[in-house]
Amino acid sequence: MELKNYIDHTLLAANATEEQIERLCREAKTYGFYAVCVNSSYVPHAKASLKDSRVKLAATIGFPLGATSTEAKVFEARLAAKEGADEIDMVINIGFLLDGKLKSVKEEIAAVKKAIDGRILKVIIETCYLTSDEILTASKLVAEAGADFVKTSTGFGSRGASTNDVKIMKQAIGDKIKIKASGGIRDAETAREYISLGADRIGTSSGIKIIS
């Protein structure tokens, strides 16, 4: 298992600068990470920095709260794809899920997937705010809506991923779609544990430390 092939090298801080985004991309190319993950406003800058490399570019949508309108998420996702994002990491409307508006949650995911013209869609369900049953329900919804990954966390909630989250997600989706574990993963041992439980991608700002 080469950990570098699982890592989305991530910088999503509110105070991230263009210089820091450039450094993130240089590091991803140097260490051979699978992708970088940035806020959508930095997609053009990151795309230019990743030119002539195999590193994929992921952009966050409706981040980090997930509470923007479906129309806003669709527009943001479509623009990010047009500007060069290979993958989209969107946040569900968590309040809608908790209110039982499951149809609305599912339709929003499907609308974003349709807008990005076949690109990879990862859907963040923010497990820190959900019960085990709600994680199960949300994960099934993500799969049914046609997304490619269900993702644990933004890293901005009350906690990041847990091994129990990933176990529940795997129980819900089986091999229908993939899992991205993110939030609080800072060492190789933890990353390997998540992968052994079924995670196909690891989102982290500690990628260099993990593979070193």
Side-chain angles (χ1 to χ4, degrees), residues 144-171:
E144 290 167 5
D148 303 282
F149 281 77
V150 59
K151 177 177 170 181
T152 57
S153 320
T154 61
F156 288 78
S158 56
R159 65 166 175 81
S162 77
T163 53
N164 191 53
D165 293 341
V166 173
K167 288 175 184 176
I168 296 167
M169 292 159 84
K170 190 65 177 174
Q171 177 189 343

Side-chain angles (χ1 to χ4, degrees), residues 85-148:
D86 303 294
E87 304 184 348
I88 297 297
D89 288 37
M90 71 167 280
V91 189
I92 64 163
N93 191 311
I94 301 154
F96 280 12
L97 180 76
L98 297 178
D99 280 333
K101 296 180 179 179
L102 305 186
K103 185 170 181 282
S104 296
V105 175
K106 184 176 175 180
E107 287 176 349
E108 179 174 272
I109 296 165
V112 172
K113 178 63 178 176
K114 183 179 179 182
I116 60 175
D117 196 26
R119 289 168 179 80
I120 294 295
L121 177 61
K122 310 187 203 94
V123 179
I124 304 165
I125 62 173
E126 200 68 295
T127 52
C128 65
Y129 299 126
L130 308 180
T131 65
S132 294
D133 284 346
E134 288 162 350
I135 293 170
L136 198 70
T137 297
S139 299
K140 288 177 179 177
L141 272 181
V142 171
E144 290 167 5
D148 303 282

Side-chain angles (χ1 to χ4, degrees), residues 6-8 10 89 122-124 127 149-155 160-163 165-167 169 178-186 190-205 210:
Y6 288 84
I7 290 175
D8 284 3
T10 302
D89 288 37
K122 310 187 203 94
V123 179
I124 304 165
T127 52
F149 281 77
V150 59
K151 177 177 170 181
T152 57
S153 320
T154 61
S162 77
T163 53
D165 293 341
V166 173
K167 288 175 184 176
M169 292 159 84
K178 296 178 179 181
I179 293 171
K180 178 175 172 179
S182 63
I185 303 170
R186 299 187 179 93
T190 305
R192 287 195 184 95
E193 183 177 13
Y194 279 110
I195 293 165
S196 72
L197 291 172
D200 302 276
R201 200 82 65 83
I202 301 293
T204 181
S205 57
I210 285 172

